[in-house]
Amino acid sequence: MEDKLINELRAAYDAQLRGVTPPGGSARIERDGPLTRVVGWHRGFVTGPRDLGVYGAELDALIARQRDYFAARGEAVEWKTRGHDLPADLTDRLAAAGFVAEDSETVLVGRSTDLAADPVLPDGVTLRRVTAVSDLRRIAAMESTVWGEDWGWLADDLAARIENAPQNIVVLVAEARAEVVCAAWLVFKDGIDFGGLWGGSTLKEWRGQGIYRAMVAHRAQLATARGVPYLYVDASSDSAPILNRLGLHALTTTTPYVWSP
């Protein structure tokens, strides 16, 4: 029964979640054969169907076109791969073209109704929805601290998403003593059965207190209220065990392959 459910969820994931939502702002979506690429984000982004349907020299040429397109713009580009993609030698050919694998994550999916619950937060921590650019900048600063690199681009990215489709994104912060200690967002796509769980980063000193779990529970409430049956997340090795215990199922892995000028 579990294998049947996983196969059904993976098929729905492949059918519904291989494209990208128009990001708003100055970013735009383009097509190149089977690929979808985003131009104008903090770096280029490329994704495609499970089976690209091109092989050998034709696949090499497709990969080279993406690399050369962004090279001409002086920008890095991420090619998002999944562990069950075809052709099977896609990642080998990406590596041969100069793309470098970053950390792999696990794609997990769960039923919104199974995950929904009133958020339980530690004393002194509050949860609220934000839209103001000042709050989005506070989120970017917190993410920069968590990841040890500049995430300043995130504020503009979230602001563009909110401006472009405010009904399809909910940005949340958990705060303590006026400090953002955790942030997460929920992204919907019109006509899609999945809501995306993104963010979920927590300052080191606030981990292990149930804040991340509370963020998941509240976003599941919102998805349930909207009638969206499933939630999905690309989870790090730290988050995946927590999400698995909460009732999400591992479908596949995802690995970004990045070329940088």
Side-chain angles (χ1 to χ4, degrees), residues 39 127 136 179 184:
V39 182
L127 183 65
L136 304 181
E179 178 184 27

Side-chain angles (χ1 to χ4, degrees), residues 53-128:
V54 293
Y55 308 91
E58 186 179 359
L59 178 56
D60 288 337
L62 182 66
I63 292 169
R65 280 205 305 276
Q66 312 317 306
R67 178 196 63 204
D68 295 346
Y69 179 95
F70 287 100
R73 293 174 57 87
E75 296 174 357
V77 55
E78 171 191 339
W79 188 308
K80 185 178 178 70
T81 70
R82 282 80 166 185
H84 62 297
D85 279 350
L86 296 172
D89 63 350
L90 170 61
T91 55
D92 291 337
R93 292 181 181 276
L94 284 168
F99 286 75
V100 177
E102 295 188 341
D103 292 341
S104 294
E105 295 180 313
T106 302
V107 179
L108 298 109
V109 172
R111 292 188 179 95
S112 301
T113 53
D114 292 343
L115 302 169
D118 291 332
V120 178
L121 294 161
D123 290 342
V125 177
T126 58
L127 183 65
R128 70 183 175 98

Side-chain angles (χ1 to χ4, degrees), residues 7 80 87 102 123 134 149 157 176 189 194 242 251 254 259:
N7 289 335
K80 185 178 178 70
E102 295 188 341
D123 290 342
S134 58
E149 58 187 45
D157 180 60
K189 297 181 182 182
F194 297 83
I242 300 171
L251 299 188
T254 180
W259 180 88

Side-chain angles (χ1 to χ4, degrees), residues 131-151:
T131 58
V133 173
S134 58
D135 284 320
L136 304 181
R137 288 175 179 154
R138 295 170 67 222
I139 291 172
M142 185 274 297
E143 296 280 358
S144 298
T145 298
V146 168
W147 297 104
E149 58 187 45
D150 183 8
W151 277 53

Side-chain angles (χ1 to χ4, degrees), residues 81-260:
T81 70
R82 282 80 166 185
H84 62 297
D85 279 350
L86 296 172
D89 63 350
L90 170 61
T91 55
D92 291 337
R93 292 181 181 276
L94 284 168
F99 286 75
V100 177
E102 295 188 341
D103 292 341
S104 294
E105 295 180 313
T106 302
V107 179
L108 298 109
V109 172
R111 292 188 179 95
S112 301
T113 53
D114 292 343
L115 302 169
D118 291 332
V120 178
L121 294 161
D123 290 342
V125 177
T126 58
L127 183 65
R128 70 183 175 98
R129 181 176 182 175
V130 298
T131 58
V133 173
S134 58
D135 284 320
L136 304 181
R137 288 175 179 154
R138 295 170 67 222
I139 291 172
M142 185 274 297
E143 296 280 358
S144 298
T145 298
V146 168
W147 297 104
E149 58 187 45
D150 183 8
W151 277 53
W153 58 268
L154 180 62
D156 291 337
D157 180 60
L158 291 174
R161 290 169 179 266
I162 292 169
E163 181 180 5
N164 187 54
Q167 75 282 5
N168 281 347
I169 183 167
V170 178
V171 182
L172 301 168
V173 293
E175 295 170 303
R177 298 185 295 274
E179 178 184 27
V180 175
V181 300
C182 179
W185 41 103
L186 171 62
V187 177
F188 298 111
K189 297 181 182 182
D190 294 332
I192 300 298
D193 292 331
F194 297 83
L197 300 176
W198 302 105
S201 299
T202 308
L203 290 176
K204 185 176 181 180
E205 58 269 28
W206 288 93
R207 294 173 194 166
Q209 300 184 51
I211 299 174
Y212 179 80
R213 185 178 293 107
M215 286 284 199
V216 173
H218 183 53
R219 284 179 289 172
Q221 284 183 319
L222 298 173
T224 299
R226 180 158 166 153
V228 174
Y230 299 110
L231 292 170
Y232 79 102
V233 57
D234 296 348
S236 68
S237 57
D238 291 330
S239 301
I242 300 171
L243 291 162
N244 190 251
R245 289 195 297 270
L246 291 177
L248 284 89
H249 306 272
L251 299 188
T252 186
T253 58
T254 180
T255 306
Y257 275 73
V258 177
W259 180 88
S260 299

